[in-house]
Amino acid sequence: MIILSLETSCDETACAILEEKNGAFSVLANIVSSQIALHATWGGVVPNLAAREHLKNIMPVIDEALKKAKLTSKNIDLIAVTNGPGLIPALLIGVETAKTLSYLWKKPLIGIHHIEGHIYANFIPDKICIESKVNPPAGEAGSQKSKEIKINFPILCLVVSGGHTQLVLMKKHLSYEIIGETQDDAVGEAFDKVARILGLGYPGGPAIAKVALKANSQKLKASLPRPMINSKDFNFSFSGLKTAVLYSVKKNPDYKLQIANYCYEFQQAVCDVLISKTMRAAKKYNPKTIMLAGGVSANSELRRQLGEAIKKDLLDITYCIPETKYSIDNAAMIAIAASFRYKLKKNTLKLKNNWKNLETNANLKLN
Ligand code: KG4
Ligand code: ZN
């Protein structure tokens, strides 16, 4: 089966083509047109500007994907599109385009939750897996790019993006129990806001990660808090951490000389909280797999430090992270989620003429 997918929920216009043959997947095309340069001028994503750019780019991106995959519309079996959550003007461009193609090409259409896409990015071949075994065979490499490693349930997934911070427990495919989530800002949002405070531009996550590498041993006078790290639940809070950076900078006349140390300390505070809660959740729920998902999962320190913690404290568990290009927004993740949805829910989905029914929902819930 060949799936063409679209993703326009925020500031990337993306189209992918995925082939599924006897349960094996190959990404035939993964085209992303980024609007970062445009939104950087404003310090964040402007929804109407994003929609205008999506409108301009969506057809060229689809053409490019088909060309890259050496296919035509006749070869496509299913169309998939992100129909929420996200910015409504941006989502509408992807959804309306997908509906139009579905009508014109006479192909079934499926709507996918953006976070379901991020989670399923871990099923794209070339994910990175680390197995923490009771008795690892001698000489076995710790980290493997793996097509072979099977992902077993239950899965505990740490979802970290610009709009979401959640710990999600999956006992089977397409079944989600949110065991904890942020009470205020998402972690990506906190990265972006702190970068703005420090004058590092947009998007803040990659900028902070890069500058943090230059931190020296001269520590900040006051370290930053680790919000809710000791709370008994699995919830998070990042707005106070952002405010702590703001107050510290305001009180510190030399802060411009310590930007790298602020970045390092902020990134470390975030990693400490995310990892501590994930490890506690793992000890309570005993998953067979731990996954990272969402744009912030591109953060090398978070990837590395969570891996270290798992290796040190948990046995018989697989740790999976998507390749970086599938961590940040892309359409291949939407196609692979659609493939699972199609396979497992075909009988209950109303796919015929779905272009008439598919709705866009800025607050779509994961279920
Ligand atoms: O998933 P994503 O691409 O879009 C949303 O669904 O929100 O995530 C975007 C977020 C932004 O807040 C961005 O700053 C953050 O992911 N991000 C990072 C890194 N790369 C992207 N945060 C920390 N470190 C990174 N390397
Ligand atoms: Zn995303």
Side-chain angles (χ1 to χ4, degrees):
M1 149 168 265
I2 295 186
I3 303 172
L4 179 141
S5 57
L6 300 177
E7 154 62 48
T8 64
S9 66
C10 193
D11 58 350
E12 324 279 2
T13 318
C15 176
I17 299 178
L18 178 91
E19 183 176 34
E20 185 268 333
K21 237 190 228 165
N22 305 322
F25 297 103
S26 29
V27 178
L28 305 182
N30 181 45
I31 310 295
V32 181
S33 166
S34 173
Q35 307 174 6
I36 282 176
L38 172 77
H39 298 291
T41 332
W42 305 92
V45 181
V46 185
N48 284 344
L49 278 186
R52 214 185 293 171
E53 284 299 296
H54 286 314
L55 197 53
K56 207 158 49 179
N57 294 330
I58 191 103
M59 291 317 296
V61 158
I62 294 169
D63 278 345
E64 199 180 331
L66 285 167
K67 211 162 133 196
K68 176 97 203 291
K70 298 192 176 69
L71 297 174
T72 70
S73 58
K74 291 199 178 62
N75 305 109
I76 306 299
D77 301 302
L78 175 70
I79 298 173
V81 64
T82 308
N83 65 325
L87 308 168
I88 274 288
L91 284 164
L92 279 171
I93 305 297
V95 171
E96 292 308 309
T97 306
K99 283 181 168 190
T100 310
L101 294 181
S102 162
Y103 170 75
L104 289 173
W105 294 353
K106 299 186 176 54
K107 308 287 179 183
L109 172 64
I110 207 166
I112 295 293
H113 190 289
H114 182 74
I115 295 302
E116 180 165 88
H118 273 306
I119 293 172
Y120 274 84
N122 280 290
F123 288 84
I124 298 176
D126 293 342
K127 62 190 174 284
I128 297 153
C129 282
I130 299 169
E131 287 187 307
S132 169
K133 289 186 177 163
V134 182
N135 290 310
E140 185 168 288
S143 161
Q144 310 172 21
K145 258 197 173 186
S146 176
K147 291 190 205 302
E148 292 80 34
I149 291 182
K150 199 168 166 279
I151 293 176
N152 291 309
F153 291 93
I155 296 169
L156 176 67
C157 185
L158 174 63
V159 177
V160 277
S161 74
H164 290 75
T165 306
Q166 295 177 323
L167 271 166
V168 180
L169 186 67
M170 292 174 68
K171 293 190 177 137
K172 56 181 185 168
H173 274 299
L174 309 177
S175 143
Y176 309 99
E177 186 189 337
I178 297 167
I179 60 168
E181 63 189 330
T182 183
Q183 306 296 292
D184 41 55
D185 289 356
V187 68
E189 189 182 352
F191 265 102
D192 294 339
K193 288 177 175 169
V194 167
R196 207 177 309 166
I197 293 168
L198 299 174
L200 295 177
Y202 173 85
I208 287 181
K210 192 167 163 212
V211 177
L213 293 173
K214 297 185 203 142
N216 55 36
S217 51
Q218 180 209 347
K219 286 271 174 280
L220 284 176
K221 276 191 209 120
S223 62
L224 296 170
R226 270 61 176 159
M228 293 182 75
I229 199 164
N230 293 318
S231 74
K232 296 220 157 33
D233 54 23
F234 299 109
N235 291 330
F236 305 94
S237 163
F238 293 103
S239 119
L241 179 56
K242 162 205 70 193
T243 315
V245 174
L246 181 66
Y247 286 164
S248 176
V249 161
K250 279 192 169 167
K251 277 195 302 201
N252 183 352
D254 295 329
Y255 88 90
K256 285 203 169 144
L257 301 171
Q258 296 176 22
I259 298 285
N261 285 351
Y262 273 105
C263 289
Y264 177 89
E265 175 64 11
F266 169 76
Q267 179 175 259
Q268 195 52 50
V270 165
C271 287
D272 286 350
V273 175
L274 292 174
I275 293 167
S276 150
K277 293 258 163 157
T278 306
M279 293 301 287
R280 264 205 302 113
K283 283 171 190 164
K284 175 165 177 189
Y285 292 99
N286 295 315
K288 291 211 165 65
T289 307
I290 294 182
M291 285 176 173
L292 263 181
V296 182
S297 74
N299 186 277
S300 325
E301 278 307 303
L302 179 59
R303 290 160 89 94
R304 185 183 67 76
Q305 292 184 28
L306 181 55
E308 291 292 315
I310 291 169
K311 215 158 45 174
K312 181 166 160 269
D313 275 354
L314 301 172
L315 285 175
D316 247 345
I317 205 157
T318 303
Y319 170 50
C320 277
I321 40 182
E323 248 198 275
T324 315
K325 68 179 176 213
Y326 300 127
S327 286
I328 49 180
D329 285 352
N330 67 90
M333 68 187 198
I334 302 304
I336 195 155
S339 168
F340 280 94
R341 246 184 207 276
Y342 182 80
K343 195 164 161 199
L344 300 169
K345 305 244 168 169
K346 204 167 33 199
N347 299 335
T348 55
L349 287 172
K350 289 189 194 84
L351 289 169
K352 203 161 187 282
N353 287 337
N354 196 19
W355 59 269
K356 287 183 184 166
N357 312 321
L358 185 65
E359 286 182 1
T360 309
N361 183 348
N363 301 311
L364 193 63
K365 295 279 169 265
L366 191 60
N367 59 37

